[in-house]
């Protein structure tokens, strides 16, 4: 009867509603669990599965079999730059004979360590690199740190990015193969991982870079692996992240957020943050990074390995701005960052470093506040000459952040950026520097 059908219909509908609600609740609970796991991972709590004994993780313990650096002749690229100058210094302290090169497009003459043999050379110049190896080689180790590390800007200077960060490295690999270099040490970047949802990032995570800078770094990693397989050239790859400290170019408006904050304060300008400042990064003091890079080829177990290197602890950009303001001695409105429109970038980046701790047994890293204090002291001692560096032209202007564009910014098919564009370099200041 119609009454019976009606009753059955309402019973059926009541069950559907109950099970639907239960299903939605289960889905919501599942999403909450995933969200909470994600929150744990992005706020610096440790996943127990990522840390154990070195043996249990399949890694050697310590650097007890490290070789001696005495008598080794090495090449360091980017030796007037930030990390490169520190690596060159530590190589010399290890007893190595150091030849350093840099094109001085972003480095400083005063960064060049004492006691190294330095030349003004562009790594993209195949002829100069060949001549360098012929006249001043052979080199036992090559440390390649020269790069233009503006990850966000790389979308708008693709050709320039690949010429500097990939083709320049290839010229070095060619000569290292020809002249029988034992080990090629390459400074890659955490940018190779892209926006991986699983944090913290370990070396076992498959790279998936999301910008031309990360792609260039990962391409170099792959080429080194191929060179090893075909020619026996050993490699050691480091993936540092958000390194800061003395010798950094704080005048570059496109990269190094801590340097940008400090330079803005020096020039009585507000600190600027893209988005709401909730993005998290692990900021690494340079002395927690450079010494391990320098001694890496002395540790045979590190050959043909990849290492994350840097700090484990993430901080959001608002926290970093607050700490920078504190160490730079400013308060009130100048201590508050201005938030600009979001740009295309990774929201959260946190690497894990169990592997490098096993291989290198480094001392505990310095705290962010202590590292910022050291950096601020250096910045205040170098206040003259930090004029903001801007590109005269880019290759693609579309979708650039508004704060990077200006009416006179040109668009060119190919751009260059040399020492003549470095606001701290004059012909007189580099007249004494050797060239090939």
């Amino acid at each position: 009867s119609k009454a019976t059908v009606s009753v059955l219909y309402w019973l059926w509908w009541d069950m559907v509603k109950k099970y639907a609600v239960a299903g939605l609740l289960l889905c919501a609970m599942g999403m909450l669990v995933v969200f909470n796991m994600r929150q744990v991972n992005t706020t610096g709590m440790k996943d127990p599965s990522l840390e154990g004994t070195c043996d249990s993780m399949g890694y050697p313990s310590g650097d007890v079999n490290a070789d001696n650096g005495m008598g080794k002749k090495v090449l360091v690229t980017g030796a007037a730059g930030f990390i490169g100058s520190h690596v060159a210094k530590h190589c010399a302290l290890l007893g190595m004979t150091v030849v350093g090169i840099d094109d001085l497009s972003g480095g400083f003459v005063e960064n060049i360590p004492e006691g190294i043999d330095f030349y003004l050379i562009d790594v993209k110049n195949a002829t100069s690199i060949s001549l360098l190896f012929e006249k001043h080689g052979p080199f036992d180790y090559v440390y390649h740190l020269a790069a233009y590390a503006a990850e966000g800007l790389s979308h708008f200077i693709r050709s320039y990015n690949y010429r500097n960060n990939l083709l320049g490295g290839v010229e070095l690999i060619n000569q290292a193969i020809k002249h029988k270099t034992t080990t090629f040490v390459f400074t890659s970047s955490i940018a190779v991982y892209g926006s991986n949802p699983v944090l913290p990032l370990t070396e076992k995570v498959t790279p998936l870079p999301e910008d031309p800078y990360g792609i260039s770094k990962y391409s170099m990693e792959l080429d080194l692996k191929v060179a090893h397989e075909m020619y026996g050239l050993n490699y050691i790859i480091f993936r540092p992240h958000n390194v800061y400290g003395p010798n950094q170019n704080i005048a570059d408006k496109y990269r190094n957020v801590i340097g940008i904050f400090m330079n803005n304060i020096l020039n009585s300008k507000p600190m600027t943050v893209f988005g709401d400042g909730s993005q998290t990064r692990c900021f690494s003091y340079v002395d927690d990074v450079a010494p391990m890079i320098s001694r890496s080829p002395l540790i045979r177990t590190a050959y043909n390995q990849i290492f994350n290197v840097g700090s484990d602890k993430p901080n959001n950009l608002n926290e970093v701005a607050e700490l920078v303001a504190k160490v730079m001695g400013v308060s009130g409105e100048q201590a508050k960052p201005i938030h600009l429109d979001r740009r295309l970038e990774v929201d959260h980046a946190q690497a894990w470093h169990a592997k490098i701790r096993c291989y290198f047994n480094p001392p505990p890293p310095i705290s962010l506040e202590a590292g910022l204090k050291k950096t601020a002291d250096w910045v205040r001692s170098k206040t003259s000459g930090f004029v903001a560096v801007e590109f005269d032209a880019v290759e693609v202007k579309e979708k650039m952040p508004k704060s990077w564009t200006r009416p006179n910014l040109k668009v060119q098919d190919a751009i260059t950026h040399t020492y003549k564009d470095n606001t701290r370099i004059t012909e007189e200041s580099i007249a004494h520097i050797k060239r090939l």
Side-chain angles (χ1 to χ4, degrees), residues 87-330:
V87 168
K89 178 186 73 175
H90 285 286
C91 284
L93 291 173
L94 289 167
M96 301 177 187
T97 299
V98 182
V99 176
I101 65 171
D102 200 295
D103 68 0
L104 293 175
S105 61
F108 308 141
V109 174
E110 58 264 39
N111 284 356
I112 302 170
E114 291 185 9
I116 77 167
D117 194 15
F118 183 82
Y119 296 87
L120 177 59
I121 293 178
D122 186 342
V123 293
K124 302 188 297 297
N125 189 321
T127 302
S128 294
I129 295 298
S130 176
L131 196 60
L132 176 72
F133 274 77
E134 289 173 9
K135 285 192 170 186
H136 301 283
F139 300 110
D140 295 289
Y141 315 135
V142 171
Y143 297 82
H144 181 36
L145 295 102
Y148 186 66
E151 188 176 349
L153 189 65
S154 67
H155 293 283
F156 313 104
I157 54 169
R158 265 183 166 76
S159 175
Y160 179 83
N161 166 76
Y162 289 122
R163 279 182 279 125
N164 279 271
N165 298 333
L166 179 55
L167 296 182
V170 169
E171 302 298 350
L172 290 164
I173 293 174
N174 277 343
Q175 296 304 322
I177 292 169
K178 291 178 183 179
H179 293 270
K180 309 302 179 186
T181 294
T182 300
T183 309
F184 195 107
V185 181
F186 175 57
T187 303
S188 182
S189 169
I190 196 177
V192 302
Y193 292 117
S195 295
N196 197 295
V198 180
L199 296 178
L201 299 160
T202 74
E203 295 87 350
K204 295 178 182 179
V205 170
T206 301
L208 192 62
E210 297 183 348
D211 53 69
Y213 175 70
I215 292 169
S216 67
K217 289 293 190 178
Y218 189 44
S219 298
M220 269 293 293
E221 291 188 14
L222 294 175
D223 197 55
L224 282 169
K225 292 179 182 179
V226 171
H228 170 68
E229 291 167 3
M230 179 166 281
Y231 298 106
L233 175 65
N234 293 310
Y235 64 84
I236 304 171
I237 295 169
F238 290 93
R239 293 172 178 166
H241 44 91
N242 298 97
V243 184
Y244 69 96
N247 295 9
Q248 189 169 32
N249 185 352
I250 70 166
D252 194 324
K253 67 177 291 183
Y254 306 110
R255 55 178 176 161
N256 307 324
V257 64
I258 286 174
I260 293 171
F261 284 170
M262 289 187 174
N263 197 40
N264 283 5
I265 289 173
L266 282 178
N267 290 283
S268 300
K269 295 180 180 179
M271 295 178 286
T272 55
V273 173
F274 290 105
D276 62 7
S278 63
Q279 311 95 299
T280 58
R281 301 288 185 270
C282 298
F283 292 89
S284 312
Y285 188 64
V286 66
D287 281 346
D288 293 327
V289 174
M292 285 187 281
I293 295 175
S294 301
R295 63 189 177 96
S296 62
L298 303 178
I299 302 172
R300 297 298 181 95
T301 53
Y303 284 15
N304 310 310
Q305 297 291 328
I306 298 174
F307 300 97
N308 294 334
V309 58
S311 170
D312 293 322
K313 186 179 184 303
N315 292 89
N316 69 51
L317 297 190
N318 291 325
E319 293 169 341
V320 174
E322 182 179 344
L323 284 174
V324 168
K326 179 180 178 181
V327 299
M328 292 294 288
V330 296

Side-chain angles (χ1 to χ4, degrees), residues 286-404:
V286 66
D287 281 346
D288 293 327
V289 174
M292 285 187 281
I293 295 175
S294 301
R295 63 189 177 96
S296 62
L298 303 178
I299 302 172
R300 297 298 181 95
T301 53
Y303 284 15
N304 310 310
Q305 297 291 328
I306 298 174
F307 300 97
N308 294 334
V309 58
S311 170
D312 293 322
K313 186 179 184 303
N315 292 89
N316 69 51
L317 297 190
N318 291 325
E319 293 169 341
V320 174
E322 182 179 344
L323 284 174
V324 168
K326 179 180 178 181
V327 299
M328 292 294 288
V330 296
S331 58
E333 289 303 310
Q334 196 178 5
K336 299 176 182 177
I338 292 177
H339 294 90
L340 308 176
D341 292 341
R342 283 187 60 84
R343 68 175 185 180
L344 182 62
E345 64 177 334
V346 173
D347 287 329
H348 303 290
Q350 180 190 4
W352 200 241
H353 308 95
K355 183 176 180 179
I356 201 168
R357 282 193 283 268
C358 287
Y359 279 80
F360 290 83
N361 192 27
I366 192 172
S367 71
L368 178 59
E369 184 170 351
L372 290 175
K373 177 68 168 60
K374 288 176 177 284
T375 307
D377 290 343
W378 174 81
V379 165
R380 280 191 286 264
S381 73
K382 302 285 184 181
T383 53
S384 63
F386 280 123
V387 179
V389 174
E390 294 183 302
F391 277 73
D392 292 329
V394 293
E395 296 157 5
V396 176
K397 197 172 180 180
E398 185 179 353
K399 295 190 177 182
M400 280 190 75
K402 292 179 181 178
S403 63
W404 288 354

Side-chain angles (χ1 to χ4, degrees), residues 48-62 354-355 357-358:
S49 68
L50 295 175
E51 192 88 66
T53 65
C54 295
D55 286 341
S56 68
M57 291 184 288
Y59 301 141
S61 180
K355 183 176 180 179
R357 282 193 283 268
C358 287

